[in-house]
Amino acid sequence: MKNRVKKYSIIISIAICIIIIYVCTLLGVASISFWDANKILLNQIFRIDLGMENISAGAIAIIWNVRLPRIILAFITGGVLAICGAAYQGIFKNPMADPYILGVSSGAALGATIGIVMNFSSSLFGMNGTAILAFVGSFASILVVYNISRVGRKVPVATLLLSGIAIGQTISAIMYLLMIFNQEEMTRIMFWIMGSLNGKGWGQVLTVLPYVIIGCIVMLTSVRELDIMLLGEETATQLGVDTERLKKKILITSSLLTAAVVSVTGIIGFVGLVIPHIVRLVTGPKHRVLIPFSLLFGGAFLILCDTLARTVAGQEIPVGIITAAFGGPFFVYLLRKRKQGGV
């Protein structure tokens, strides 16, 4: 009975996500009629022609090349940040852990800042120069944190977290110094740091997709071990889980996933911190349910936030501002409920 309920819940959640993607694709500042938008989607996805001769090339480009890939990238990014947050919180047993806790955001921000300041224009695998340097910076910071924290073959969790904070602050200081000496680029740098999906297309979607598919498969194959880890490291070891190997696997996979999406979108906060907590209220702590539902909830949440970011104010707002505006107060609410024994 429980398996049937879980199966139906996942199917319903997937259907809701598809509906959100569909509705948000129809919404935007550009005035495109409901019927024209549907004709474009049917023609581009299913090759069904319901009369495209009266629809302008501009309208087709807006729906197919601007809105839809942006929304799909929002879903991928939100889902990735949410499952990485859930995995980190499980492996570190720390409710404040999020995908950026090990210096991923600071490294990415420094890389992007260098790319913007140097006007780095090279491209690779569909990523522009700024995205390439952001990816390199984020992954380099993780390697530094990991090597500083390692004691023999073991990586103590507390040391890892503290090293991540220390390295992150050091990298941020270097980035701010670069911003002071390059004030003419400060607006572009700040816009990147606040996170944005503006101007993203199918190229960015296809760039991050391989990382996301491989990373999600690894995460889903690790859910049993993550569930056992809830009992404590000592108990998990007694039950046959190689806890150090699991830490490395989750650390590398989550870091790679986060680095991939952050290098393209910039830093989008609170999704990886808040969404796993919301999902736990609905599904409980078991990772075999938590991970897939975090993917769906996180993706849907970021789509809705990005739709607000591009429609409400009449001009483009960095989506990181919207996620912080919703995520910050809600997380405070969760903390108060936990303090009162309600969570």
Side-chain angles (χ1 to χ4, degrees):
M1 184 68 179
K2 287 184 178 180
N3 289 335
R4 185 179 297 177
V5 171
K6 184 175 76 171
K7 179 182 176 182
Y8 287 143
S9 298
I10 291 176
I11 292 172
I12 291 170
S13 298
I14 291 172
I16 291 172
C17 287
I18 292 172
I19 292 169
I20 289 173
I21 290 171
Y22 165 69
V23 172
C24 291
T25 303
L26 303 182
L27 300 175
V29 176
S31 179
I32 301 174
S33 73
F34 173 82
W35 297 112
D36 284 351
N38 278 286
K39 287 178 182 178
I40 294 167
L41 289 173
L42 288 171
N43 180 259
Q44 294 293 328
I45 297 173
F46 301 108
R47 301 301 174 187
I48 298 174
D49 190 350
L50 297 177
M52 298 289 291
E53 60 275 359
N54 295 323
I55 301 176
S56 68
I60 295 173
I62 288 171
I63 294 294
W64 184 250
N65 295 323
V66 178
R67 289 185 191 170
L68 187 59
R70 176 173 177 158
I71 287 168
I72 291 174
L73 184 62
F75 179 83
I76 291 171
T77 303
V80 162
L81 294 175
I83 64 173
C84 290
Y88 274 144
Q89 289 164 16
I91 206 77
F92 294 143
K93 296 181 180 60
N94 186 333
M96 296 299 292
D98 76 344
Y100 304 137
I101 199 167
L102 299 182
V104 175
S105 59
S106 301
L110 178 59
T113 300
I114 293 171
I116 292 170
V117 167
M118 294 178 62
N119 197 23
F120 190 55
S121 58
S122 298
S123 61
L124 184 68
F125 301 125
M127 299 171 72
N128 62 28
T130 301
I132 293 168
L133 290 179
F135 183 87
V136 171
S138 60
F139 215 69
S141 67
I142 295 158
L143 292 176
V144 172
V145 169
Y146 178 80
N147 283 293
I148 289 174
S149 307
R150 188 172 58 185
V151 180
R153 293 186 176 182
K154 292 189 175 182
V155 183
V157 169
T159 307
L160 192 66
L161 295 176
L162 291 173
S163 298
I165 293 170
I167 296 299
Q169 291 298 315
T170 304
I171 292 173
S172 294
I174 298 171
M175 181 193 69
Y176 294 139
L177 191 63
L178 286 173
M179 290 172 66
I180 289 172
F181 287 107
N182 296 274
Q183 294 190 20
E184 66 277 5
E185 301 291 353
M186 193 173 290
T187 301
R188 287 178 63 197
I189 294 169
M190 289 301 298
F191 202 87
W192 192 95
I193 290 172
M194 288 186 286
S196 176
L197 294 159
N198 185 32
K200 304 301 186 291
W202 290 114
Q204 286 78 18
V205 173
L206 295 175
T207 297
V208 302
L209 201 56
Y211 298 99
V212 172
I213 292 172
I214 294 170
C216 288
I217 290 172
V218 173
M219 286 288 192
L220 291 172
T221 57
S222 306
V223 292
R224 179 180 171 277
E225 295 170 301
L226 284 169
D227 285 342
I228 296 173
M229 281 286 285
L230 294 173
L231 303 173
E233 274 194 51
E234 188 176 337
T235 304
T237 302
Q238 292 172 353
L239 293 172
V241 175
D242 187 340
T243 56
E244 292 303 316
R245 178 179 170 276
L246 179 63
K247 285 180 196 175
K248 291 176 185 177
K249 183 165 73 169
I250 296 300
L251 176 64
I252 292 170
T253 304
S254 297
S255 299
L256 186 63
L257 281 170
T258 305
V261 296
V262 167
S263 65
V264 171
T265 66
I267 300 166
I268 300 174
F270 280 98
V271 179
L273 183 63
V274 174
I275 295 300
H277 287 282
I278 297 174
V279 175
R280 280 191 194 92
L281 295 176
V282 179
T283 68
K286 293 292 183 69
H287 289 88
R288 65 189 65 194
V289 181
L290 179 63
I291 294 294
F293 275 97
S294 292
L295 175 66
L296 296 172
F297 275 58
F301 173 71
L302 192 56
I303 288 173
L304 294 173
C305 288
D306 184 57
T307 301
L308 288 175
R310 65 184 171 84
T311 58
V312 170
Q315 65 178 23
E316 187 73 28
I317 299 174
V319 69
I321 295 175
I322 306 295
T323 59
F326 283 107
F330 190 82
F331 194 67
V332 171
Y333 166 75
L334 288 177
L335 291 176
R336 287 186 61 83
K337 290 286 286 183
R338 181 181 291 275
K339 185 177 178 180
Q340 297 166 5
V343 178

